[in-house]
Amino acid sequence: MSFALLVVASSVSAAVVHPARQAHIDAVNAASTTWRAAAHPRFAAAPPGASAPMLGAKGDMKLEVAAAKARGDVVDYVPRGGAAPEAFDSAARWPECAKLIGDIRDQSNCGCCWAFAGAEAASDRQCIATGGAVAVPLSAQDVCFNANVDGCDGGQIITPWTYVAKAGAVTGGQYNGTGPFGAGLCADWFAPHCHHHGPRGDDPYPAEGDAGCPSEKSPEGPKACDATAAAGHDAFAADKHTFAGDVQTASGEAAIMAMIAEGGPVETAFTVYEDFENYAGGIYHHVTGEEAGGHAVKFVGWGVENGTKYWKVANSWNPYWGEAGYFRILRGSNEGGIEDQVTGSHADAKWTRAGDSD
């Protein structure tokens, strides 16, 4: 599947762009590379690295996964054979779950990427495993603040999966019932939408740190459903969705492709470099700048454009960011360690809801 390069003109005068940031932008755009860089109001005047508070994937993911395997919490994914196609998109492969797979959420000004990517991929894999019978978003609010005491201060890509497997996650959508699933779910995200890194384009939301998008601190994890929850999603204990089966991990291009093609989107993490803050579209790879932090995201597919292989990745920085909420990144070169480890439930996992009878 091919995507046209999204070229978004910056609304920021070069005169107000931090000189080190402008140097990064100029270096990317002069490199005849596969992606375009541009400044925007949120980071223009700030030095490179200003995205660090949003990057909540903590620690060395390879070491974290290895420790989880040693504990028996995670097992290696074993491909079942068959060649992967040249291009693959989970939403096209499983149209009955396309609404979930394409639900681009917004983590607001909170470093809860690890919970968002996990809750999103778990929602997708539950839908796929049930043949579309259970097509509801699982709550990032529940996962972020009940699975890890650090919440907005970061977490690991194993945590959402072990939490959902052992404790279950309730349903939950976007802030104030926004997003494709509207209101009525158990525990929606608590923080407002924000404009995130990259050119503003048509994004109507306030930038991180501006009025309407404060830096968020972790609230207590929800123990009851929201007052807006509708019947069927209004009892916290009954609305818990969980699965019986292994939490799996895969590394390397071929194994990750097989795991996605078999069971749907998976969670991964990668090192964000400072030039990623200026991503405006195309197939990203690191050109310049230092490490800014670790970020968790969701792999949904892959493709080839003009001979360049890429992963299609869903971000949690709202649908106005990047390529309609997605970005593409070089595939096969382990860019930023993005192919080191992915996590997800077993494709054959049995999903249940606590309030449903057997």
Side-chain angles (χ1 to χ4, degrees):
M1 183 174 184
S2 177
F3 294 84
L5 177 64
L6 179 64
V7 179
V8 184
S10 173
S11 61
V12 183
S13 167
V16 300
V17 178
H18 191 283
R21 181 173 300 281
Q22 188 63 54
H24 285 180
I25 293 168
D26 292 344
V28 171
N29 292 336
S32 299
T33 187
T34 54
W35 65 285
R36 174 176 168 80
H40 70 95
R42 169 65 180 95
F43 292 113
S51 64
M54 291 293 297
L55 307 175
K58 294 170 60 176
D60 185 316
M61 292 300 116
K62 292 177 73 174
L63 293 178
E64 295 291 342
V65 171
K69 288 196 290 186
R71 293 192 303 268
D73 291 339
V74 180
V75 301
D76 284 316
Y77 168 75
V78 179
R80 297 181 181 180
E86 180 178 68
F88 184 90
D89 189 281
S90 293
R93 169 63 181 84
W94 294 286
E96 67 275 19
C97 300
K99 183 178 177 180
L100 267 177
I101 295 167
D103 180 13
I104 298 293
R105 305 195 204 182
D106 189 343
Q107 68 186 80
S108 194
N109 201 0
C110 166
C112 217
C113 56
W114 61 274
F116 270 77
E120 292 165 19
S123 304
D124 300 343
R125 293 180 79 85
Q126 175 179 235
C127 182
I128 291 165
T130 62
V134 184
V136 289
L138 299 181
S139 172
Q141 183 81 1
D142 184 1
V143 175
C144 185
F145 305 117
N146 282 327
N148 181 353
V149 295
D150 291 334
C152 288
D153 293 327
Q156 291 81 37
I157 62 172
I158 293 297
T159 304
W161 301 95
T162 55
Y163 177 73
V164 174
K166 294 175 182 177
V170 299
T171 59
Q174 300 191 31
Y175 175 71
N176 277 355
T178 54
F181 290 88
L185 298 171
C186 179
D188 289 344
W189 185 241
F190 79 112
H193 292 285
C194 296
H195 169 66
H196 298 281
H197 328 304
R200 180 172 290 279
D202 296 327
D203 191 340
Y205 301 124
E208 298 158 9
D210 287 355
C213 185
S215 179
E216 300 289 354
K217 296 187 182 297
S218 301
E220 291 187 7
K223 298 296 184 289
C225 295
D226 299 340
T228 55
H233 297 298
D234 56 351
F236 194 83
D239 201 41
K240 284 282 189 175
H241 293 245
T242 189
F243 64 88
D246 291 329
V247 177
Q248 296 183 319
T249 183
S251 60
E253 179 185 11
I256 294 170
M257 291 165 70
M259 188 170 172
I260 296 170
E262 183 181 346
V266 294
E267 181 174 12
T268 191
F270 71 113
T271 298
V272 169
Y273 289 90
E274 292 166 342
D275 59 355
F276 188 74
E277 296 173 355
N278 307 310
Y279 177 79
I283 303 172
Y284 173 81
H285 64 91
H286 176 226
V287 175
T288 187
E290 303 299 322
E291 293 184 12
H295 188 43
V297 288
K298 182 178 78 169
F299 273 149
V300 299
W302 62 84
V304 180
E305 182 176 81
N306 298 325
T308 300
K309 300 191 302 181
Y310 64 83
W311 295 107
K312 182 181 179 183
V313 191
N315 206 347
S316 52
W317 291 350
N318 91 39
Y320 295 96
W321 179 87
E323 296 181 330
Y326 297 89
F327 67 97
R328 289 175 292 152
I329 190 169
L330 279 182
R331 172 168 56 94
S333 60
N334 198 25
E335 187 70 29
I338 202 165
E339 296 166 4
D340 278 342
Q341 300 291 164
V342 306
T343 50
S345 54
H346 195 291
D348 295 334
K350 181 182 179 183
W351 287 82
T352 56
R353 177 180 175 272
D356 296 337
S357 58
D358 294 334

